Amino acid sequence: MKVAMIATTWWLFTGLVFATASPDLQQRLQDLDTFIQNLMTCKSRPVVGLTVSVVKDGQTIFAKGYGQRDLQTGQAVDNRTLFGVGSISKSFTSALLAAILGEREDVSWDTVLTDILGPSFRFRDQFRTEEATLRDLLGHKTGLENLGFVIRMVENIDRSELARLVVVAS
């Protein structure tokens, strides 16, 4: 519950910082930095780290790490620390798909995956191959419950290997 509240507070504050009429971008970035530092002190147990990057007009104008990447060793987070993206990728994926669907008339939430990925894309069974849609994927209705575990066990896979794993897991 605290994490959700902190995340909501973070997004609301970030939106306010960059939507305000203040002409001084450096001051807004300083306010953001101060907010995050204060937020990192509001804890009832150790808080792991995070990184924040602000990109404006294709240029990184702010990048900083906060907290620790390892609570055991106390190793600090910097602006180049890599984190697993976890479930946040779902919101990026759905937002990207919504943007694409808004621009294209030939694809919808209900377009069958083989119409997008081509006839060589296959699930293990014919029904899923012929019927699965973008809506089904985002709603986790394809029955690929073990795929996340399989992907976490394999590092550095490319798209063709991911497609193969989808078929194996289905």
Side-chain angles (χ1 to χ4, degrees), residues 85-152:
V85 295
S87 292
I88 194 71
S89 62
K90 294 173 189 172
S91 60
F92 296 140
T93 301
S94 60
L96 178 61
L97 281 173
I100 291 169
L101 296 178
E103 295 174 358
R104 294 182 54 177
E105 295 181 15
D106 62 326
V107 182
S108 76
W109 293 111
D110 297 311
T111 300
V112 176
L113 294 176
T114 53
D115 291 346
I116 299 168
L117 300 173
S120 64
F121 179 80
R122 298 257 183 252
F123 286 105
R124 188 177 287 177
D125 62 89
Q126 185 175 353
F127 177 78
R128 273 187 281 195
T129 299
E130 294 174 355
E131 300 295 327
T133 66
L134 290 173
R135 183 183 310 273
D136 294 330
L137 283 181
L138 289 176
H140 298 275
K141 299 189 308 184
T142 59
L144 301 177
E145 65 276 350
N146 294 325
L147 184 60
F149 175 73
V150 170
I151 292 173
R152 281 191 295 275

Side-chain angles (χ1 to χ4, degrees), residues 18 25 30 32 70 72 74 89 109 120 133 144 156 162 168:
F18 292 98
L25 179 59
Q30 180 58 49
L32 175 63
D70 186 326
Q72 300 293 333
S89 62
W109 293 111
S120 64
T133 66
L144 301 177
N156 301 322
L162 176 59
V168 169

Side-chain angles (χ1 to χ4, degrees), residues 66-90:
Y66 301 86
Q68 300 171 8
R69 66 172 114 185
D70 186 326
L71 295 176
Q72 300 293 333
T73 65
Q75 191 173 15
V77 171
D78 63 26
N79 65 337
R80 302 186 71 72
T81 301
L82 299 177
F83 294 93
V85 295
S87 292
I88 194 71
S89 62
K90 294 173 189 172

Side-chain angles (χ1 to χ4, degrees), residues 3-89:
V3 172
M5 186 180 295
I6 289 172
T8 302
T9 304
W10 158 254
W11 286 114
L12 288 172
F13 180 81
T14 304
L16 290 173
V17 165
F18 292 98
T20 59
S22 171
D24 186 5
L25 179 59
Q26 288 305 314
Q27 182 59 53
R28 289 186 281 168
L29 293 172
Q30 180 58 49
D31 291 345
L32 175 63
D33 182 49
T34 301
F35 174 76
I36 297 168
Q37 288 182 44
N38 289 336
L39 186 63
M40 294 298 288
T41 66
C42 298
K43 60 184 178 182
S44 60
R45 58 184 175 177
V47 176
V48 295
L50 65 116
T51 60
V52 175
S53 296
V54 177
V55 177
K56 181 179 182 202
D57 300 326
Q59 298 293 319
T60 302
I61 60 171
F62 180 85
K64 186 172 178 182
Y66 301 86
Q68 300 171 8
R69 66 172 114 185
D70 186 326
L71 295 176
Q72 300 293 333
T73 65
Q75 191 173 15
V77 171
D78 63 26
N79 65 337
R80 302 186 71 72
T81 301
L82 299 177
F83 294 93
V85 295
S87 292
I88 194 71
S89 62

